Amino acid sequence: MPQVVRPRIAVLHGTHPASPLPQRFRSLADREAVEVLHRAARVLVASLPVLTDRLVEALYEQEPGYRAAIESDRAEIWQEVHHSLRHNVGSLIQPREFREAAHRTSRRIGEIRAEQGVPLDAVLHAFRMGGAMVWQDLVDETARRDPDDVRLLVHVAADVWNFVDEHCGIVGDAYRQAERRLSWRRENQQRLMIAALLDGTARIADLCEAAAMLGLPEQGRYAVLAVASAPRGPQRPGPARPPLNLPAALPVAAPPYGQSGPDLPDVRPDAPALSGAAPYGQSGPDGLPHARPDTAPLPTAFPGTAPLWHTGPDAEFAILRLTGDPGGPGDPGELHAIAAALDAPAGTRAGIGSAVEGLAALGDARRLAETALRACPASGGTVLLDEHLPDALVVTSPALGSALADRVLGPLDRLDPSDRDVILETLTAWLDADGSAQRAGARLYCHRNTVLNRLRRFEQLTGRCLTRPRDAVEVSLALAARRLLAP
Protein backbone atom coordinates (compact mmCIF):
# COMPACT_ATOMS: atom_id res chain seq x y z
CA MET A 1 0.00 0.00 0.00
CA PRO A 2 1.36 3.46 -0.83
CA GLN A 3 0.90 4.64 2.75
CA VAL A 4 -0.28 2.96 5.90
CA VAL A 5 -2.83 5.60 6.85
CA ARG A 6 -4.72 7.67 4.27
CA PRO A 7 -6.71 10.80 5.21
CA ARG A 8 -10.30 9.73 5.32
CA ILE A 9 -13.72 10.75 6.64
CA ALA A 10 -15.46 8.05 8.59
CA VAL A 11 -18.95 7.47 7.18
CA LEU A 12 -21.36 5.06 8.79
CA HIS A 13 -23.41 2.85 6.49
CA GLY A 14 -26.75 4.28 7.57
CA THR A 15 -29.31 6.78 6.46
CA HIS A 16 -27.41 9.69 8.02
CA PRO A 17 -23.61 10.01 7.88
CA ALA A 18 -21.91 10.68 11.17
CA SER A 19 -20.39 14.08 11.64
CA PRO A 20 -16.63 13.90 11.06
CA LEU A 21 -14.28 14.69 13.93
CA PRO A 22 -12.50 18.00 13.78
CA GLN A 23 -9.33 17.77 11.70
CA ARG A 24 -7.14 18.43 14.74
CA PHE A 25 -8.44 15.42 16.70
CA ARG A 26 -8.54 13.07 13.67
CA SER A 27 -4.94 13.79 12.68
CA LEU A 28 -3.75 13.34 16.24
CA ALA A 29 -5.53 9.98 16.58
CA ASP A 30 -4.12 8.75 13.26
CA ARG A 31 -0.60 9.77 14.22
CA GLU A 32 -0.82 7.94 17.51
CA ALA A 33 -2.33 4.88 15.82
CA VAL A 34 0.54 4.72 13.31
CA GLU A 35 3.06 4.88 16.13
CA VAL A 36 1.32 2.05 17.94
CA LEU A 37 1.16 0.00 14.72
CA HIS A 38 4.86 0.55 13.98
CA ARG A 39 5.85 -0.39 17.51
CA ALA A 40 3.88 -3.67 17.40
CA ALA A 41 5.05 -4.47 13.85
CA ARG A 42 8.71 -4.15 14.87
CA VAL A 43 8.13 -6.79 17.55
CA LEU A 44 6.57 -9.07 14.90
CA VAL A 45 9.59 -8.60 12.63
CA ALA A 46 11.85 -9.70 15.47
CA SER A 47 9.79 -12.86 16.00
CA LEU A 48 9.10 -13.73 12.34
CA PRO A 49 10.47 -17.32 12.56
CA VAL A 50 7.97 -18.15 15.29
CA LEU A 51 5.14 -16.47 13.35
CA THR A 52 6.18 -18.40 10.24
CA ASP A 53 6.10 -21.72 12.13
CA ARG A 54 2.59 -20.99 13.38
CA LEU A 55 1.28 -19.99 9.96
CA VAL A 56 2.76 -23.03 8.19
CA GLU A 57 1.28 -25.32 10.83
CA ALA A 58 -2.11 -23.58 10.52
CA LEU A 59 -2.02 -23.99 6.73
CA TYR A 60 -1.25 -27.67 7.10
CA GLU A 61 -4.13 -28.23 9.51
CA GLN A 62 -6.78 -25.90 8.06
CA GLU A 63 -6.13 -25.71 4.30
CA PRO A 64 -6.20 -29.10 2.48
CA GLY A 65 -5.00 -27.46 -0.75
CA TYR A 66 -1.64 -26.72 0.88
CA ARG A 67 -1.24 -30.02 2.69
CA ALA A 68 0.35 -31.94 -0.18
CA ALA A 69 2.77 -29.09 -0.97
CA ILE A 70 3.84 -28.85 2.67
CA GLU A 71 4.31 -32.61 2.93
CA SER A 72 6.42 -32.72 -0.23
CA ASP A 73 8.72 -29.81 0.71
CA ARG A 74 7.99 -28.20 4.05
CA ALA A 75 11.27 -26.26 4.06
CA GLU A 76 10.48 -24.56 0.75
CA ILE A 77 7.00 -23.56 1.92
CA TRP A 78 8.48 -22.25 5.18
CA GLN A 79 10.97 -20.08 3.32
CA GLU A 80 8.26 -18.78 1.02
CA VAL A 81 5.93 -17.89 3.92
CA HIS A 82 8.78 -16.29 5.85
CA HIS A 83 9.80 -14.22 2.82
CA SER A 84 6.24 -13.05 2.29
CA LEU A 85 5.71 -12.16 5.97
CA ARG A 86 8.99 -10.26 6.10
CA HIS A 87 8.08 -8.05 3.17
CA ASN A 88 4.42 -7.61 4.13
CA VAL A 89 5.03 -6.80 7.79
CA GLY A 90 7.90 -4.57 6.70
CA SER A 91 5.43 -2.74 4.44
CA LEU A 92 3.45 -1.77 7.54
CA ILE A 93 6.53 0.03 8.84
CA GLN A 94 8.20 1.29 5.65
CA PRO A 95 5.66 1.05 2.81
CA ARG A 96 7.77 2.82 0.19
CA GLU A 97 10.83 0.65 0.75
CA PHE A 98 8.97 -2.69 0.87
CA ARG A 99 6.02 -2.14 -1.50
CA GLU A 100 7.54 -3.41 -4.76
CA ALA A 101 9.36 -6.29 -3.08
CA ALA A 102 6.11 -7.35 -1.39
CA HIS A 103 4.27 -7.21 -4.72
CA ARG A 104 6.96 -9.29 -6.46
CA THR A 105 6.80 -11.87 -3.69
CA SER A 106 3.01 -12.16 -3.92
CA ARG A 107 3.12 -12.45 -7.73
CA ARG A 108 5.78 -15.15 -7.50
CA ILE A 109 3.72 -17.11 -4.97
CA GLY A 110 0.68 -16.96 -7.27
CA GLU A 111 2.73 -18.26 -10.22
CA ILE A 112 4.32 -21.09 -8.21
CA ARG A 113 1.00 -22.25 -6.78
CA ALA A 114 -0.56 -22.28 -10.26
CA GLU A 115 2.30 -24.45 -11.52
CA GLN A 116 1.86 -26.80 -8.57
CA GLY A 117 -1.88 -27.05 -9.20
CA VAL A 118 -2.88 -25.68 -5.78
CA PRO A 119 -6.45 -24.32 -6.14
CA LEU A 120 -6.70 -20.54 -6.32
CA ASP A 121 -9.25 -20.52 -3.48
CA ALA A 122 -6.69 -22.25 -1.27
CA VAL A 123 -4.01 -19.69 -2.13
CA LEU A 124 -6.31 -16.75 -1.37
CA HIS A 125 -7.43 -18.44 1.85
CA ALA A 126 -3.78 -18.83 2.87
CA PHE A 127 -3.14 -15.12 2.34
CA ARG A 128 -6.20 -14.19 4.39
CA MET A 129 -5.12 -16.58 7.13
CA GLY A 130 -1.74 -14.87 7.19
CA GLY A 131 -3.40 -11.46 7.32
CA ALA A 132 -5.64 -12.52 10.18
CA MET A 133 -2.70 -13.99 12.11
CA VAL A 134 -0.59 -10.84 11.65
CA TRP A 135 -3.48 -8.61 12.73
CA GLN A 136 -4.18 -10.71 15.81
CA ASP A 137 -0.51 -10.59 16.79
CA LEU A 138 -0.50 -6.82 16.33
CA VAL A 139 -3.49 -6.54 18.66
CA ASP A 140 -2.02 -8.97 21.21
CA GLU A 141 1.36 -7.18 21.26
CA THR A 142 -0.33 -3.80 21.67
CA ALA A 143 -2.51 -5.13 24.47
CA ARG A 144 0.52 -6.62 26.22
CA ARG A 145 2.43 -3.35 26.08
CA ASP A 146 -0.44 -0.97 26.88
CA PRO A 147 -4.08 -2.17 26.79
CA ASP A 148 -5.30 1.39 26.36
CA ASP A 149 -3.54 1.61 22.98
CA VAL A 150 -5.64 -1.18 21.48
CA ARG A 151 -8.42 1.29 20.74
CA LEU A 152 -6.02 3.25 18.52
CA LEU A 153 -5.62 0.28 16.15
CA VAL A 154 -9.19 0.90 15.03
CA HIS A 155 -7.86 3.85 13.06
CA VAL A 156 -5.55 1.66 10.96
CA ALA A 157 -7.61 -1.55 10.79
CA ALA A 158 -9.15 -0.68 7.42
CA ASP A 159 -5.71 0.09 5.96
CA VAL A 160 -4.27 -3.22 7.14
CA TRP A 161 -7.13 -5.21 5.65
CA ASN A 162 -7.05 -3.17 2.43
CA PHE A 163 -3.40 -4.17 2.24
CA VAL A 164 -4.38 -7.84 2.59
CA ASP A 165 -7.07 -7.49 -0.11
CA GLU A 166 -4.61 -5.74 -2.41
CA HIS A 167 -2.20 -8.65 -2.21
CA CYS A 168 -4.99 -11.17 -2.67
CA GLY A 169 -5.77 -9.38 -5.93
CA ILE A 170 -2.11 -9.47 -6.98
CA VAL A 171 -1.89 -13.18 -6.19
CA GLY A 172 -5.13 -13.92 -8.06
CA ASP A 173 -4.01 -12.05 -11.19
CA ALA A 174 -0.61 -13.74 -11.21
CA TYR A 175 -2.21 -17.14 -10.64
CA ARG A 176 -4.65 -16.73 -13.53
CA GLN A 177 -1.96 -15.48 -15.91
CA ALA A 178 0.28 -18.42 -15.04
CA GLU A 179 -2.67 -20.77 -15.42
CA ARG A 180 -3.34 -19.43 -18.92
CA ARG A 181 0.31 -19.81 -19.85
CA LEU A 182 0.32 -23.39 -18.57
CA SER A 183 -2.92 -24.17 -20.39
CA TRP A 184 -1.60 -22.69 -23.63
CA ARG A 185 1.66 -24.65 -23.28
CA ARG A 186 -0.22 -27.86 -22.43
CA GLU A 187 -2.56 -27.46 -25.40
CA ASN A 188 0.41 -26.87 -27.70
CA GLN A 189 2.08 -29.99 -26.34
CA GLN A 190 -1.13 -31.92 -26.93
CA ARG A 191 -1.40 -30.63 -30.50
CA LEU A 192 2.20 -31.60 -31.23
CA MET A 193 1.68 -35.04 -29.69
CA ILE A 194 -1.54 -35.63 -31.67
CA ALA A 195 0.24 -34.56 -34.86
CA ALA A 196 3.13 -36.95 -34.13
CA LEU A 197 0.76 -39.84 -33.44
CA LEU A 198 -1.22 -39.25 -36.65
CA ASP A 199 1.95 -38.78 -38.70
CA GLY A 200 3.38 -41.98 -37.29
CA THR A 201 6.49 -40.17 -36.04
CA ALA A 202 5.86 -40.56 -32.30
CA ARG A 203 8.56 -42.55 -30.53
CA ILE A 204 7.60 -45.76 -28.81
CA ALA A 205 9.18 -44.45 -25.61
CA ASP A 206 6.81 -41.45 -25.69
CA LEU A 207 3.59 -43.45 -26.00
CA CYS A 208 3.09 -43.80 -22.25
CA GLU A 209 3.45 -40.03 -21.81
CA ALA A 210 1.14 -39.43 -24.78
CA ALA A 211 -1.50 -41.69 -23.24
CA ALA A 212 -1.35 -39.74 -19.96
CA MET A 213 -1.31 -36.38 -21.72
CA LEU A 214 -4.32 -37.12 -23.93
CA GLY A 215 -6.28 -39.21 -21.44
CA LEU A 216 -6.30 -42.25 -23.75
CA PRO A 217 -5.30 -45.87 -23.09
CA GLU A 218 -2.06 -46.82 -24.79
CA GLN A 219 -3.43 -50.18 -25.91
CA GLY A 220 -6.99 -49.14 -26.73
CA ARG A 221 -8.72 -49.56 -30.08
CA TYR A 222 -8.99 -46.53 -32.31
CA ALA A 223 -10.12 -45.32 -35.68
CA VAL A 224 -9.49 -42.02 -37.43
CA LEU A 225 -12.11 -39.85 -39.07
CA ALA A 226 -11.03 -37.58 -41.94
CA VAL A 227 -13.30 -34.69 -42.89
CA ALA A 228 -13.14 -32.20 -45.75
CA SER A 229 -15.65 -29.46 -46.44
CA ALA A 230 -17.02 -28.63 -49.83
CA PRO A 231 -14.91 -26.08 -51.71
CA ARG A 232 -15.91 -22.55 -50.79
CA GLY A 233 -14.18 -20.52 -53.47
CA PRO A 234 -10.77 -18.85 -53.71
CA GLN A 235 -11.47 -16.60 -50.75
CA ARG A 236 -11.61 -19.54 -48.31
CA PRO A 237 -8.80 -21.92 -49.24
CA GLY A 238 -7.63 -24.83 -47.14
CA PRO A 239 -9.50 -27.24 -44.88
CA ALA A 240 -12.23 -26.11 -42.54
CA ARG A 241 -13.69 -28.14 -39.74
CA PRO A 242 -17.39 -28.58 -40.44
CA PRO A 243 -19.87 -28.99 -37.61
CA LEU A 244 -20.41 -32.69 -36.90
CA ASN A 245 -22.77 -34.52 -34.60
CA LEU A 246 -20.95 -37.66 -33.54
CA PRO A 247 -22.81 -40.65 -32.10
CA ALA A 248 -23.15 -40.81 -28.37
CA ALA A 249 -22.01 -44.45 -28.33
CA LEU A 250 -18.37 -43.44 -28.16
CA PRO A 251 -16.91 -43.79 -24.65
CA VAL A 252 -15.64 -40.86 -22.67
CA ALA A 253 -11.88 -40.73 -22.29
CA ALA A 254 -10.21 -39.65 -19.09
CA PRO A 255 -9.55 -35.91 -18.74
CA PRO A 256 -6.13 -34.80 -20.01
CA TYR A 257 -3.29 -34.81 -17.52
CA GLY A 258 -3.27 -31.90 -15.13
CA GLN A 259 -7.08 -31.80 -15.13
CA SER A 260 -9.75 -33.79 -13.36
CA GLY A 261 -13.36 -33.66 -12.39
CA PRO A 262 -16.41 -31.76 -13.55
CA ASP A 263 -15.26 -28.45 -12.09
CA LEU A 264 -12.48 -28.04 -14.63
CA PRO A 265 -12.58 -25.74 -17.65
CA ASP A 266 -14.39 -27.41 -20.53
CA VAL A 267 -11.91 -29.02 -22.94
CA ARG A 268 -14.39 -30.30 -25.47
CA PRO A 269 -14.10 -29.10 -29.06
CA ASP A 270 -17.30 -27.10 -28.62
CA ALA A 271 -16.03 -25.38 -25.48
CA PRO A 272 -16.10 -21.58 -25.64
CA ALA A 273 -12.91 -19.61 -25.44
CA LEU A 274 -11.71 -18.29 -22.12
CA SER A 275 -13.45 -15.16 -20.99
CA GLY A 276 -11.77 -12.25 -22.69
CA ALA A 277 -9.56 -14.55 -24.75
CA ALA A 278 -8.21 -13.38 -28.05
CA PRO A 279 -8.54 -15.43 -31.26
CA TYR A 280 -6.01 -18.16 -31.88
CA GLY A 281 -2.65 -16.75 -32.88
CA GLN A 282 -3.34 -13.37 -31.24
CA SER A 283 -2.68 -12.04 -27.78
CA GLY A 284 -5.19 -11.42 -25.06
CA PRO A 285 -5.37 -8.43 -22.74
CA ASP A 286 -2.62 -9.92 -20.57
CA GLY A 287 -0.27 -10.29 -23.54
CA LEU A 288 -0.59 -14.07 -23.59
CA PRO A 289 -1.52 -16.08 -26.68
CA HIS A 290 -4.72 -18.08 -26.36
CA ALA A 291 -5.37 -21.49 -27.82
CA ARG A 292 -7.86 -21.73 -30.66
CA PRO A 293 -11.29 -22.97 -29.59
CA ASP A 294 -12.42 -25.81 -31.77
CA THR A 295 -15.76 -25.37 -33.45
CA ALA A 296 -17.17 -28.85 -33.95
CA PRO A 297 -20.22 -29.22 -31.69
CA LEU A 298 -20.50 -32.60 -30.04
CA PRO A 299 -23.48 -34.37 -28.53
CA THR A 300 -24.44 -33.77 -24.95
CA ALA A 301 -23.61 -37.40 -24.19
CA PHE A 302 -19.96 -36.31 -23.90
CA PRO A 303 -19.60 -35.07 -20.31
CA GLY A 304 -15.79 -34.99 -20.53
CA THR A 305 -13.36 -35.10 -23.39
CA ALA A 306 -14.31 -35.79 -27.00
CA PRO A 307 -12.57 -37.05 -30.14
CA LEU A 308 -9.23 -35.30 -30.53
CA TRP A 309 -8.98 -33.11 -33.64
CA HIS A 310 -5.97 -32.28 -35.77
CA THR A 311 -5.81 -29.95 -38.75
CA GLY A 312 -4.06 -31.32 -41.81
CA PRO A 313 -3.22 -29.52 -45.05
CA ASP A 314 -6.25 -30.88 -46.90
CA ALA A 315 -8.55 -32.25 -44.22
CA GLU A 316 -9.41 -32.34 -40.53
CA PHE A 317 -8.70 -35.54 -38.60
CA ALA A 318 -10.34 -36.84 -35.43
CA ILE A 319 -9.07 -39.69 -33.28
CA LEU A 320 -12.03 -41.86 -32.31
CA ARG A 321 -11.65 -44.10 -29.31
CA LEU A 322 -13.66 -47.28 -29.75
CA THR A 323 -15.33 -49.15 -26.92
CA GLY A 324 -13.41 -52.37 -27.25
CA ASP A 325 -16.51 -54.43 -26.46
CA PRO A 326 -16.46 -57.96 -27.86
CA GLY A 327 -18.04 -58.00 -31.26
CA GLY A 328 -18.02 -54.20 -31.44
CA PRO A 329 -14.86 -52.80 -32.95
CA GLY A 330 -13.55 -56.12 -34.27
CA ASP A 331 -16.55 -56.64 -36.45
CA PRO A 332 -17.14 -53.34 -38.18
CA GLY A 333 -20.49 -52.93 -36.45
CA GLU A 334 -19.29 -50.11 -34.21
CA LEU A 335 -17.62 -48.26 -37.08
CA HIS A 336 -20.75 -48.73 -39.15
CA ALA A 337 -22.80 -47.18 -36.35
CA ILE A 338 -20.45 -44.21 -36.21
CA ALA A 339 -20.65 -43.73 -39.98
CA ALA A 340 -24.43 -44.00 -39.93
CA ALA A 341 -24.76 -41.52 -37.08
CA LEU A 342 -22.51 -38.83 -38.54
CA ASP A 343 -24.54 -35.75 -39.34
CA ALA A 344 -22.55 -33.34 -41.50
CA PRO A 345 -23.63 -30.44 -43.73
CA ALA A 346 -24.35 -31.06 -47.40
CA GLY A 347 -21.22 -31.28 -49.49
CA THR A 348 -19.03 -32.42 -46.59
CA ARG A 349 -16.88 -35.45 -47.32
CA ALA A 350 -16.00 -37.81 -44.48
CA GLY A 351 -13.92 -40.98 -44.44
CA ILE A 352 -13.52 -43.45 -41.57
CA GLY A 353 -10.57 -45.81 -41.63
CA SER A 354 -10.40 -49.31 -40.26
CA ALA A 355 -9.95 -49.94 -36.53
CA VAL A 356 -6.38 -50.24 -35.27
CA GLU A 357 -4.89 -51.47 -32.01
CA GLY A 358 -2.95 -49.04 -29.81
CA LEU A 359 -1.72 -45.48 -30.08
CA ALA A 360 1.34 -46.65 -32.01
CA ALA A 361 -0.91 -47.59 -34.96
CA LEU A 362 -2.62 -44.19 -35.28
CA GLY A 363 -0.34 -43.28 -38.17
CA ASP A 364 -1.72 -46.26 -40.10
CA ALA A 365 -5.24 -45.29 -39.02
CA ARG A 366 -4.77 -41.82 -40.46
CA ARG A 367 -3.59 -43.17 -43.80
CA LEU A 368 -6.58 -45.49 -43.91
CA ALA A 369 -8.88 -42.56 -43.16
CA GLU A 370 -7.28 -40.53 -45.96
CA THR A 371 -7.87 -43.44 -48.33
CA ALA A 372 -11.52 -43.55 -47.26
CA LEU A 373 -11.79 -39.81 -47.81
CA ARG A 374 -10.40 -40.12 -51.33
CA ALA A 375 -12.99 -42.81 -52.01
CA CYS A 376 -15.74 -40.40 -51.00
CA PRO A 377 -17.76 -38.88 -53.88
CA ALA A 378 -16.99 -35.26 -54.73
CA SER A 379 -20.62 -34.40 -54.00
CA GLY A 380 -20.12 -35.37 -50.35
CA GLY A 381 -21.07 -38.21 -48.06
CA THR A 382 -19.50 -40.61 -45.60
CA VAL A 383 -17.36 -43.57 -46.61
CA LEU A 384 -16.47 -46.39 -44.23
CA LEU A 385 -13.30 -47.93 -45.60
CA ASP A 386 -14.19 -51.48 -44.59
CA GLU A 387 -17.30 -51.27 -46.78
CA HIS A 388 -15.59 -49.68 -49.81
CA LEU A 389 -12.39 -51.68 -50.23
CA PRO A 390 -12.64 -51.97 -54.05
CA ASP A 391 -12.94 -48.19 -54.29
CA ALA A 392 -9.95 -47.91 -51.94
CA LEU A 393 -7.91 -50.09 -54.30
CA VAL A 394 -8.69 -47.70 -57.12
CA VAL A 395 -7.83 -44.45 -55.33
CA THR A 396 -4.60 -45.83 -53.83
CA SER A 397 -3.27 -46.36 -57.38
CA PRO A 398 -4.89 -43.65 -59.48
CA ALA A 399 -2.64 -44.19 -62.49
CA LEU A 400 -3.59 -47.85 -62.76
CA GLY A 401 -7.23 -47.01 -62.04
CA SER A 402 -7.33 -44.47 -64.88
CA ALA A 403 -5.63 -46.95 -67.23
CA LEU A 404 -8.23 -49.62 -66.37
CA ALA A 405 -11.11 -47.18 -66.90
CA ASP A 406 -9.75 -46.13 -70.29
CA ARG A 407 -9.26 -49.73 -71.37
CA VAL A 408 -12.66 -51.02 -70.26
CA LEU A 409 -14.86 -47.96 -70.82
CA GLY A 410 -12.87 -46.19 -73.52
CA PRO A 411 -15.02 -47.50 -76.42
CA LEU A 412 -18.05 -45.74 -74.91
CA ASP A 413 -16.35 -42.37 -75.26
CA ARG A 414 -16.96 -42.52 -79.02
CA LEU A 415 -20.71 -42.35 -78.42
CA ASP A 416 -22.77 -39.24 -77.98
CA PRO A 417 -22.29 -38.09 -74.34
CA SER A 418 -25.97 -38.48 -73.49
CA ASP A 419 -26.03 -41.99 -74.99
CA ARG A 420 -22.83 -42.90 -73.17
CA ASP A 421 -24.18 -41.63 -69.83
CA VAL A 422 -27.36 -43.70 -70.20
CA ILE A 423 -25.33 -46.88 -70.69
CA LEU A 424 -23.05 -46.11 -67.74
CA GLU A 425 -26.02 -45.27 -65.50
CA THR A 426 -27.74 -48.52 -66.47
CA LEU A 427 -24.59 -50.54 -65.90
CA THR A 428 -24.07 -48.97 -62.47
CA ALA A 429 -27.69 -49.59 -61.45
CA TRP A 430 -27.48 -53.22 -62.61
CA LEU A 431 -24.31 -53.84 -60.55
CA ASP A 432 -25.82 -52.11 -57.51
CA ALA A 433 -28.88 -54.36 -57.87
CA ASP A 434 -26.66 -57.48 -57.71
CA GLY A 435 -27.23 -58.24 -61.40
CA SER A 436 -31.04 -58.05 -61.26
CA ALA A 437 -32.48 -56.39 -64.37
CA GLN A 438 -35.87 -56.21 -62.65
CA ARG A 439 -34.58 -54.16 -59.69
CA ALA A 440 -32.32 -52.07 -61.91
CA GLY A 441 -35.32 -51.22 -64.11
CA ALA A 442 -37.29 -50.17 -61.04
CA ARG A 443 -34.49 -47.81 -60.03
CA LEU A 444 -34.25 -46.37 -63.53
CA TYR A 445 -38.03 -46.28 -64.11
CA CYS A 446 -37.82 -48.44 -67.24
CA HIS A 447 -38.69 -52.01 -68.27
CA ARG A 448 -36.30 -54.83 -67.47
CA ASN A 449 -35.96 -55.57 -71.21
CA THR A 450 -34.71 -52.02 -71.71
CA VAL A 451 -32.03 -52.71 -69.12
CA LEU A 452 -31.03 -55.95 -70.82
CA ASN A 453 -30.84 -54.25 -74.24
CA ARG A 454 -28.53 -51.57 -72.88
CA LEU A 455 -26.32 -54.18 -71.23
CA ARG A 456 -26.05 -56.15 -74.49
CA ARG A 457 -25.08 -52.98 -76.30
CA PHE A 458 -22.36 -52.36 -73.74
CA GLU A 459 -21.00 -55.86 -74.29
CA GLN A 460 -21.00 -55.35 -78.03
CA LEU A 461 -19.14 -52.02 -77.80
CA THR A 462 -16.52 -53.12 -75.29
CA GLY A 463 -16.13 -56.82 -76.03
CA ARG A 464 -16.80 -57.62 -72.37
CA CYS A 465 -19.09 -60.33 -71.08
CA LEU A 466 -20.90 -59.36 -67.91
CA THR A 467 -21.57 -63.00 -67.02
CA ARG A 468 -17.83 -63.67 -66.91
CA PRO A 469 -16.61 -63.02 -63.32
CA ARG A 470 -13.27 -61.50 -64.41
CA ASP A 471 -14.94 -59.08 -66.78
CA ALA A 472 -17.56 -58.15 -64.16
CA VAL A 473 -14.79 -57.30 -61.65
CA GLU A 474 -12.92 -55.20 -64.21
CA VAL A 475 -16.11 -53.35 -65.19
CA SER A 476 -16.95 -52.64 -61.55
CA LEU A 477 -13.45 -51.28 -60.84
CA ALA A 478 -13.45 -49.26 -64.07
CA LEU A 479 -16.76 -47.63 -63.12
CA ALA A 480 -15.34 -46.78 -59.68
CA ALA A 481 -12.23 -45.29 -61.28
CA ARG A 482 -14.30 -43.23 -63.69
CA ARG A 483 -16.44 -41.94 -60.80
CA LEU A 484 -13.66 -41.26 -58.30
CA LEU A 485 -10.78 -40.18 -60.51
CA ALA A 486 -12.64 -37.97 -62.93
CA PRO A 487 -11.01 -34.52 -63.09
Side-chain angles (χ1 to χ4, degrees), residues 159-180:
D159 297 288
V160 172
W161 284 106
N162 286 340
F163 178 85
V164 174
D165 288 341
E166 176 189 6
H167 279 262
C168 284
I170 292 171
V171 168
D173 289 344
Y175 185 101
R176 283 184 283 269
Q177 290 182 20
E179 194 174 43
R180 283 194 290 269

Side-chain angles (χ1 to χ4, degrees), residues 121-200:
D121 288 346
V123 181
L124 297 179
H125 182 216
F127 264 74
R128 293 190 177 98
M129 286 176 62
M133 189 171 290
V134 168
W135 174 253
Q136 186 61 50
D137 281 10
L138 290 172
V139 173
D140 292 344
E141 173 57 27
T142 302
R144 184 190 65 79
R145 186 181 184 90
D146 188 346
D148 291 339
D149 288 345
V150 172
R151 60 183 176 80
L152 294 173
L153 291 180
V154 173
H155 295 274
V156 294
D159 297 288
V160 172
W161 284 106
N162 286 340
F163 178 85
V164 174
D165 288 341
E166 176 189 6
H167 279 262
C168 284
I170 292 171
V171 168
D173 289 344
Y175 185 101
R176 283 184 283 269
Q177 290 182 20
E179 194 174 43
R180 283 194 290 269
R181 283 196 299 270
L182 292 170
S183 176
W184 176 74
R185 188 181 308 135
R186 180 167 55 244
E187 289 169 0
N188 274 344
Q189 291 174 343
Q190 291 177 356
R191 279 193 288 269
L192 292 173
M193 183 59 72
I194 292 172
L197 290 171
L198 291 174
D199 290 342

Side-chain angles (χ1 to χ4, degrees), residues 326-417:
D331 120 55
E334 185 177 9
L335 292 176
H336 184 274
I338 294 173
L342 279 176
D343 181 15
T348 300
R349 298 162 50 238
I352 303 177
S354 304
V356 298
E357 186 71 39
L359 293 177
L362 282 178
D364 295 334
R366 171 180 173 160
R367 287 185 284 274
L368 294 173
E370 288 177 321
T371 299
L373 185 63
R374 291 198 299 271
C376 189
S379 59
T382 301
V383 167
L384 180 59
L385 182 64
D386 290 344
E387 296 183 353
H388 294 81
L389 293 178
D391 292 350
L393 289 175
V394 171
V395 297
T396 53
S397 184
L400 291 178
S402 297
L404 178 63
D406 292 341
R407 179 176 180 181
V408 175
L409 305 178
L412 300 181
D413 293 335
R414 295 191 289 268
L415 299 175
D416 182 84

Side-chain angles (χ1 to χ4, degrees), residues 282-295:
Q282 302 180 17
S283 296
D286 54 3
L288 298 175
H290 291 290
R292 175 194 59 188
D294 292 324
T295 57

Side-chain angles (χ1 to χ4, degrees), residues 16-36:
H16 302 286
S19 299
L21 291 172
Q23 183 69 28
R24 179 172 58 85
F25 294 108
R26 191 173 62 251
S27 300
L28 178 60
D30 285 350
R31 190 180 307 115
E32 293 176 351
V34 170
E35 292 175 358
V36 170

Side-chain angles (χ1 to χ4, degrees), residues 19-322:
S19 299
L21 291 172
Q23 183 69 28
R24 179 172 58 85
F25 294 108
R26 191 173 62 251
S27 300
L28 178 60
D30 285 350
R31 190 180 307 115
E32 293 176 351
V34 170
E35 292 175 358
V36 170
L37 176 67
H38 286 182
R39 188 164 54 242
R42 289 189 186 96
V43 175
L44 262 64
V45 170
S47 60
L48 271 184
V50 176
L51 178 59
T52 303
D53 289 338
R54 290 166 49 212
L55 182 53
V56 171
E57 189 61 31
L59 288 174
Y60 184 81
E61 293 177 356
Q62 301 176 32
E63 182 46 68
Y66 264 77
R67 195 165 296 150
I70 294 175
E71 289 176 348
S72 64
D73 197 340
R74 191 182 190 93
E76 180 183 355
I77 299 296
W78 192 96
Q79 289 293 339
E80 179 184 281
V81 172
H82 183 269
H83 199 61
S84 177
L85 288 173
R86 180 164 59 87
H87 286 100
N88 292 337
V89 175
S91 294
L92 299 178
I93 306 171
Q94 296 175 299
R96 292 183 180 179
E97 289 78 358
F98 283 91
R99 175 185 172 86
E100 289 303 321
H103 284 187
R104 286 195 300 271
T105 300
S106 296
R107 281 193 292 268
R108 181 58 181 158
I109 291 174
E111 293 170 352
I112 292 175
R113 292 296 165 262
E115 293 171 357
Q116 292 177 340
V118 177
L120 178 56
D121 288 346
V123 181
L124 297 179
H125 182 216
F127 264 74
R128 293 190 177 98
M129 286 176 62
M133 189 171 290
V134 168
W135 174 253
Q136 186 61 50
D137 281 10
L138 290 172
V139 173
D140 292 344
E141 173 57 27
T142 302
R144 184 190 65 79
R145 186 181 184 90
D146 188 346
D148 291 339
D149 288 345
V150 172
R151 60 183 176 80
L152 294 173
L153 291 180
V154 173
H155 295 274
V156 294
D159 297 288
V160 172
W161 284 106
N162 286 340
F163 178 85
V164 174
D165 288 341
E166 176 189 6
H167 279 262
C168 284
I170 292 171
V171 168
D173 289 344
Y175 185 101
R176 283 184 283 269
Q177 290 182 20
E179 194 174 43
R180 283 194 290 269
R181 283 196 299 270
L182 292 170
S183 176
W184 176 74
R185 188 181 308 135
R186 180 167 55 244
E187 289 169 0
N188 274 344
Q189 291 174 343
Q190 291 177 356
R191 279 193 288 269
L192 292 173
M193 183 59 72
I194 292 172
L197 290 171
L198 291 174
D199 290 342
T201 57
R203 300 182 303 174
I204 297 298
D206 293 336
L207 292 180
C208 183
E209 179 185 355
M213 179 185 298
L214 303 177
L216 297 172
E218 184 178 348
Q219 298 303 325
R221 289 187 69 87
Y222 301 96
V224 172
L225 165 68
V227 181
S229 294
R232 295 180 290 174
Q235 301 300 323
R236 299 293 297 274
R241 185 175 305 168
L244 294 172
N245 291 324
L246 295 175
L250 294 177
V252 175
Y257 79 112
Q259 302 181 14
S260 63
D263 295 328
L264 294 168
D266 201 342
V267 296
R268 296 172 299 170
D270 61 334
L274 292 173
S275 176
Y280 177 67
Q282 302 180 17
S283 296
D286 54 3
L288 298 175
H290 291 290
R292 175 194 59 188
D294 292 324
T295 57
L298 297 167
T300 56
F302 284 96
T305 61
L308 301 174
W309 288 93
H310 171 71
T311 300
D314 301 311
E316 297 277 347
F317 298 91
I319 299 175
L320 306 178
R321 179 186 169 190
L322 305 179

